[in-house]
Amino acid sequence: RTDAARKRIQDVVAADPSSVQARMALAEVTARTGGTGAEVSQIFTAAIKASPAQPEPRLLFIEHLLRMGDAQAALIVAQDGIAALPGHTDLQSALGRAQLAAGDARQAVGTFGQLASKNPAESIHQLRLAEAHVMSKDLGAARAALRKALEIEPESLAAKRGLAALALQQDRPDEARVIAREIQKSRPKEPTGYQLEGDVERQQRNWPAAVAAYRKAFAIAHNTDLAIRLHQALFAG
């Protein structure tokens, strides 16, 4: 009864036009029940117009546009959000992600660099700064940002995976193996470290070692992705 569900929320919005929560619910229901992208965008636009000082409609609109693959539209919404709510951390972060999605690595480096400077205790900004540096092909700066993220959050899996990926990209498999084994030691009951070791050995075409690592990961977590990786390593070997 999707039409009835949508009508019920529309009635709530009509009764209380200032309700951000109701408008966001309407956008979600419309998206999930076959509404067009234009219809969902109209709801978000109306929500922003009704509550211009609220960041949530802008943030959710940006997320929606990025999911739809419309990076340029997401970029415009993010820029408008920053103009309306200057200095808002989440909107600035959304702007950086929109810049990355639009392929503007230089601008994204600037955006995430500012966020990292303003929020030195939050590793997420260093991680995204590293992503922007990778896109701009500055691997040294990306490595420095990931190292900084690890200083802030020593057990950050995202930072460790990023460093391992950089090591492989720069043909330094031994460094990537060390990272994989550090993860295995700190998280012995999780498959992550063994999967990473398998990925390293797969890139090196060392199939017996890749199979052994993937078997260990699969013994911990029986999931489809690990089954496929193990099958591919067995087949290639």
Side-chain angles (χ1 to χ4, degrees):
R1 300 173 59 190
T2 56
D3 290 341
R6 197 183 304 187
K7 176 64 166 58
R8 182 171 294 230
I9 300 176
Q10 287 171 338
D11 290 344
V12 176
V13 172
D16 184 6
S18 65
S19 173
V20 172
Q21 184 178 7
R23 288 183 183 273
M24 295 303 93
L26 179 59
E28 180 183 357
V29 168
T30 301
R32 290 174 60 182
T33 57
T36 66
E39 287 176 323
V40 177
S41 294
Q42 286 175 356
I43 296 169
F44 278 119
T45 301
I48 293 168
K49 185 176 180 180
S51 304
Q54 294 292 326
E56 288 81 5
R58 300 177 191 274
L59 290 167
L60 290 172
F61 194 13
I62 295 165
E63 291 292 340
H64 168 72
L65 291 168
L66 289 175
R67 283 198 305 271
M68 297 294 291
D70 195 343
Q72 289 298 330
L75 189 57
I76 291 170
V77 175
Q79 290 168 339
D80 289 345
I82 292 294
L85 301 169
H88 193 282
T89 298
D90 290 341
L91 279 171
Q92 194 172 358
S93 181
L95 173 63
R97 287 186 291 113
Q99 288 166 337
L100 279 177
D104 194 343
R106 184 179 62 84
Q107 291 289 346
V109 166
T111 299
F112 289 126
Q114 290 176 7
L115 280 167
S117 297
K118 288 195 302 183
N119 304 276
E122 297 180 18
S123 62
I124 184 63
H125 305 305
Q126 295 290 347
L127 293 173
R128 287 177 174 157
L129 178 59
E131 185 180 354
H133 280 308
V134 169
M135 182 178 282
S136 65
K137 303 189 185 308
D138 190 345
L139 301 188
R143 179 184 295 274
L146 289 169
R147 290 290 182 193
K148 183 64 177 177
L150 274 181
E151 289 176 17
I152 298 168
E153 188 182 345
E155 292 304 314
S156 170
L157 276 178
K160 291 179 180 180
R161 285 174 178 153
L163 284 168
L166 279 180
L168 290 177
Q169 194 170 344
Q170 296 176 308
D171 197 25
R172 295 153 73 170
D174 289 342
E175 183 179 328
R177 285 190 190 96
V178 168
I179 295 170
R181 286 164 188 165
E182 286 176 357
I183 296 173
Q184 292 167 16
K185 185 176 180 181
S186 63
R187 298 170 179 260
K189 295 183 179 181
E190 297 180 17
T192 308
Y194 299 105
Q195 178 178 324
L196 179 56
E197 183 180 359
D199 291 345
V200 173
E201 301 301 349
R202 179 174 64 176
Q203 192 195 60
Q204 299 302 302
R205 304 183 67 79
N206 187 354
W207 301 117
V211 166
Y214 286 141
R215 282 196 190 282
K216 290 177 182 177
F218 189 67
I220 296 170
H222 285 67
N223 66 56
T224 304
D225 179 58
L226 285 172
I228 291 170
R229 289 169 191 260
L230 176 56
H231 172 271
Q232 289 173 339
L234 285 164
F235 190 85

